[in-house]
Amino acid sequence: MQIKFEIIKCQTFHQFCFYIKQLNTIKMGCVTNKEQDIKQFNIEIPNSYNHTTIQTEADLSDFQDQFLQIGMNVCGLGEFLPKVQEVYDQLGELFQNIQGQYLLMPDQSIYFGQVINGKRQGIGKQHWPKEGNLLEGTWVDNQLTGRARMIYPNGDYFVGNFLNNIANGLGRFVNSKKQVCGFWLNNKLTGEGTEIRKNGTIYKGQFNEGKIQGYGQFEYANKCIYKGSVLKGKMHGKGELIFNDNTRYVGEFKANCIQGSGNYEAGISITGWFHSKFENQTLYIYFFRSETPVLIDSQYCTLIEKQLEQFFD
């Protein structure tokens, strides 16, 4: 989404001073990881262009009719989309008793809030009636700084802290499938965080540039627990998987599959090379005593079956 702002300051009837700024781009979007449908909030605003000042009545005449309409005939933010209105009603206002003035932007978005010297300064709201996005935030010298919340047309929303138009600090992103809480660093969810999915899976651990990556723990809806290395939202690397019957596998994983050398404990302990697959609500674990590749289901492997209604998503 590209948003261009035009701000007007009128000093006297015969002398108008226009400060025209063009802010190149505001992006309030989500970065998606195909494997786990991770959405990441992102906002970027580059430096504004130099001021253009018009001081004479002669210079003003060509622009007066155009610019005097901006903000003059706006008395509301416009009608919100149904899903935006639903979330807005559910969450309530981020800031109470906002006062200020309306500005109609050239892209037809509407800002309402505090304005000082022709700049957004303080708390306010901005609505894009055509696209549907609703932003509530705090501005310092025309920069989004402090607490802010964006509600998207589909009902997703992000609430968190910003510094100079960039998400920095604690935040929370919520959509129909999950909610993610953690620390955003330069627009990217980074470090320790928590992801709670509607299907019952809970992840606690490390994120890297918006993705589940590093070391963490999954508590799955099927009552199994994984602790160890994670990559792109999946069990990957070395870790420990505790099954819901209290047996466990400790060893190597690849893309949510048991694959590689490891140890399986179920009263007795067996060590070797393992491979797994999931189908028909059953996890099939194949155990080999030799690392030499062999055909699955051959006489050279031992099969262990686990009945699981759900797989490790």
Side-chain angles (χ1 to χ4, degrees):
M1 180 191 304
Q2 292 189 345
I3 304 136
K4 298 178 181 178
F5 295 92
E6 197 153 7
I7 302 174
I8 296 159
K9 179 183 177 184
C10 302
Q11 293 181 335
T12 67
F13 179 79
H14 295 288
Q15 182 179 11
F16 291 80
C17 182
F18 294 90
Y19 298 96
I20 304 173
K21 289 189 177 181
Q22 183 176 3
L23 299 182
N24 187 19
T25 307
I26 294 181
K27 296 180 180 178
M28 300 275 184
C30 299
V31 176
T32 302
N33 178 351
K34 294 182 179 179
E35 289 85 352
Q36 58 182 3
D37 191 34
I38 283 186
K39 292 186 175 181
Q40 170 68 40
F41 185 85
N42 185 34
I43 174 171
E44 296 177 359
I45 303 180
N47 293 331
S48 60
Y49 294 105
N50 293 332
H51 291 176
T52 299
T53 303
I54 303 172
Q55 294 184 330
T56 68
E57 187 172 355
D59 291 332
L60 174 64
S61 60
D62 292 337
F63 300 94
Q64 182 174 359
D65 291 341
Q66 175 186 353
F67 288 135
L68 287 184
Q69 296 303 312
I70 298 180
M72 295 295 182
N73 298 323
V74 180
C75 58
L77 287 173
E79 185 176 357
F80 299 160
L81 292 178
K83 289 186 177 180
V84 173
Q85 185 69 60
E86 180 181 351
V87 173
Y88 184 74
D89 292 341
Q90 175 186 348
L91 298 176
E93 293 185 332
L94 185 63
F95 304 105
Q96 300 292 324
N97 302 320
I98 295 179
Q99 297 184 8
Q101 66 186 82
Y102 288 97
L103 295 176
L104 177 62
M105 305 302 176
D107 67 349
Q108 300 304 301
S109 65
I110 303 169
Y111 170 82
F112 174 73
Q114 297 171 339
V115 177
I116 298 179
N117 295 328
K119 297 180 179 180
R120 291 167 297 171
Q121 181 79 21
I123 58 176
K125 302 178 183 180
Q126 191 158 354
H127 180 224
W128 289 261
K130 182 178 179 180
E131 294 82 2
N133 298 55
L134 174 63
L135 172 66
E136 302 164 85
T138 305
W139 281 265
V140 176
D141 195 24
N142 224 30
Q143 303 285 302
L144 191 62
T145 297
R147 196 74 168 160
R149 181 174 71 193
M150 168 70 90
I151 304 176
Y152 296 91
N154 61 0
D156 298 352
Y157 70 90
F158 174 87
V159 58
N161 291 292
F162 289 80
L163 178 63
N164 296 329
N165 298 321
I166 298 175
N168 273 291
L170 295 176
R172 180 165 60 105
F173 178 83
V174 179
N175 65 16
S176 60
K177 295 182 179 179
K178 64 192 173 187
Q179 65 172 325
V180 184
C181 302
F183 190 88
W184 268 256
L185 179 63
N186 295 331
N187 295 329
K188 301 294 181 70
L189 181 60
T190 301
E192 296 293 323
T194 301
E195 179 174 302
I196 303 174
R197 302 176 186 172
K198 292 294 180 66
N199 63 11
T201 297
I202 300 175
Y203 171 78
K204 298 178 181 179
Q206 295 177 334
F207 289 79
N208 184 22
E209 295 192 344
K211 300 175 182 178
I212 292 177
Q213 192 161 309
Y215 183 90
Q217 174 176 305
F218 279 105
E219 298 178 13
Y220 296 102
N222 57 25
K223 306 303 180 183
C224 298
I225 298 175
Y226 172 80
K227 304 174 183 178
S229 178
V230 290
L231 179 66
K232 295 181 179 179
K234 296 182 179 182
M235 302 180 291
H236 192 95
K238 293 184 179 181
E240 176 184 12
L241 180 58
I242 304 171
F243 295 98
N244 51 18
D245 59 0
N246 290 323
T247 61
R248 70 183 61 206
Y249 167 81
V250 179
E252 296 178 327
F253 294 79
K254 185 176 181 180
N256 268 359
C257 290
I258 293 173
Q259 187 170 326
S261 63
N263 179 270
Y264 178 77
E265 299 178 4
I268 60 172
S269 178
I270 57 175
T271 301
W273 285 263
F274 296 81
H275 177 83
S276 71
K277 67 178 182 180
F278 181 81
E279 58 184 25
N280 299 324
Q281 295 186 334
T282 303
L283 178 67
Y284 297 94
I285 305 174
Y286 300 90
F287 165 65
F288 303 87
R289 296 190 181 277
S290 171
E291 190 177 5
T292 303
V294 295
L295 295 176
I296 292 178
D297 299 329
S298 75
Q299 59 181 335
Y300 299 104
C301 70
T302 301
L303 176 62
I304 302 168
E305 296 186 18
K306 297 287 186 183
Q307 300 299 315
L308 299 172
E309 293 183 0
Q310 299 182 40
F311 188 51
F312 314 106
D313 56 1

